[in-house]
Amino acid sequence: MLKVFDQNHKAVGALIRYNDLQIVSDVTTGDKRMTFGISGKPDVHIDCEYYLQTRTDEFVVKKTADKKKGSYEAILNLEELTGTPYEAFSISNESLSNGIKIALEGTGWSLGICEVDDSDRRNAGMIDCDALKVITNLCTVWMVEPEFDTLRKIVNIYIQRGSDKGCYFASGLNLIELERESESYDFYTILIPKGAEGLDISSVNGGKNYLENFSYSQKRLAFVWKDESYTDAMALKTDGEKYLEEL
């Protein structure tokens, strides 16, 4: 069942008859998108900019059905965040939790769980943005993953949201077709991290200003990674190792 609210967030009823409901989530950004179909006349009227609630989330309808497809599309309701503009936003030697609290001021949202220790302090700045873009940028700087609780208006920050659920694909078991793609356009085995004011990792990395990871290939492909939000060499090295592993 989907609870339906009009553009003024007034309850108008519940949607019971629908099909092919899908919610696609991105753990790295916290984004969610919902699609579903309706055969015949809907239980209640639904229009663009209406709100739909599941047990865990609230979405905003962005596309209503046409006569051929009968499909609807909705995105996670983050209107208070996208509706809070910043001509400029900056923090200096600040913790992630405080940075997000500053970004959330006046939005009606608050910070819930934050797994990053307050001793990990960095710099960050943006211009011509909104609260959501600020939070996304801060999560990129600290290499963490956000979760948006749209029912309680809470932002949770996790070091890693994804986990092994014990599920897997098997060739067989009525699987008709499986395609797999690989690409290595952003593949490197050597990373040279650089922080603010010429900061490098040589002081905490045995005198070497670079990191190596040959677990996938012995090719020597180097990449200079510069992020001036880092003022601590050890933090730069730690996150550089994570970044290189992804690359």
Side-chain angles (χ1 to χ4, degrees):
M1 181 183 72
L2 299 174
K3 296 180 181 179
V4 183
F5 301 81
D6 66 13
Q7 295 176 2
N8 297 315
H9 217 280
K10 179 181 178 181
V12 296
L15 185 63
I16 299 175
R17 293 178 298 169
Y18 53 85
N19 54 68
D20 298 327
L21 176 67
Q22 296 184 35
I23 297 177
V24 179
S25 304
D26 186 337
V27 296
T28 60
T29 64
D31 184 40
K32 291 184 180 181
R33 291 181 178 268
M34 178 171 65
T35 59
F36 61 93
I38 298 177
S39 300
K41 186 178 180 180
D43 301 309
V44 295
H45 176 69
I46 301 176
D47 207 345
C48 286
E49 299 305 313
Y50 272 41
Y51 302 92
L52 303 175
Q53 283 188 3
T54 66
R55 291 185 301 104
T56 58
D57 293 294
E58 181 170 274
F59 295 83
V60 184
V61 178
K62 290 297 180 179
K63 185 177 180 180
T64 57
D66 57 36
K67 293 182 179 179
K68 293 182 179 179
K69 296 182 179 179
S71 60
Y72 295 76
E73 297 178 9
I75 63 173
L76 205 59
N77 180 15
L78 303 174
E79 291 177 340
E80 295 92 346
L81 302 182
T82 58
T84 303
Y86 284 98
E87 290 186 2
F89 179 94
S90 65
I91 55 174
S92 178
N93 191 32
E94 191 61 84
S95 66
L96 175 59
S97 61
N98 284 340
I100 290 182
K101 288 176 182 177
I102 295 171
L104 292 176
E105 289 181 358
T107 65
W109 285 62
S110 60
L111 177 64
I113 298 170
C114 184
E115 293 186 341
V116 179
D117 193 278
D118 283 346
S119 62
D120 186 355
R121 295 175 174 267
R122 305 186 188 181
N123 306 324
M126 295 183 71
I127 59 173
D128 298 329
C129 55
D130 55 47
L132 178 60
K133 290 180 180 178
V134 169
I135 292 170
T136 300
N137 181 58
L138 293 177
C139 288
T140 299
V141 170
W142 266 270
M143 289 185 165
V144 293
E145 299 173 349
E147 177 188 58
F148 298 99
D149 185 337
T150 51
L151 296 183
R152 297 188 299 163
K153 307 298 181 184
I154 292 175
V155 180
N156 296 313
I157 304 297
Y158 299 97
I159 294 175
Q160 184 177 9
R161 290 177 58 199
S163 61
D164 184 357
K165 301 298 184 181
C167 302
Y168 60 92
F169 284 105
S171 57
L173 300 178
N174 299 320
L175 184 64
I176 297 174
E177 184 178 10
L178 177 64
E179 295 182 359
R180 178 180 176 182
E181 291 185 355
S182 297
E183 58 92 5
S184 60
Y185 289 107
D186 296 318
F187 169 64
Y188 297 95
T189 56
I190 299 172
L191 185 73
I192 305 172
K194 293 186 176 182
E197 299 180 353
L199 177 70
D200 64 23
I201 62 171
S202 57
S203 62
V204 294
N205 193 46
K208 297 187 296 183
N209 71 336
Y210 61 90
L211 300 167
E212 297 175 318
N213 187 330
F214 298 109
S215 60
Y216 183 76
S217 170
Q218 293 299 310
K219 293 183 179 182
R220 298 186 64 83
L221 302 173
F223 177 71
V224 177
W225 174 51
K226 187 174 182 179
D227 189 333
E228 294 187 352
S229 66
Y230 289 90
T231 57
D232 180 79
M234 182 56 71
L236 181 63
K237 177 186 177 182
T238 299
D239 287 352
E241 291 172 339
K242 296 177 184 177
Y243 188 38
L244 180 57
E245 185 175 355
E246 293 179 3
L247 292 175

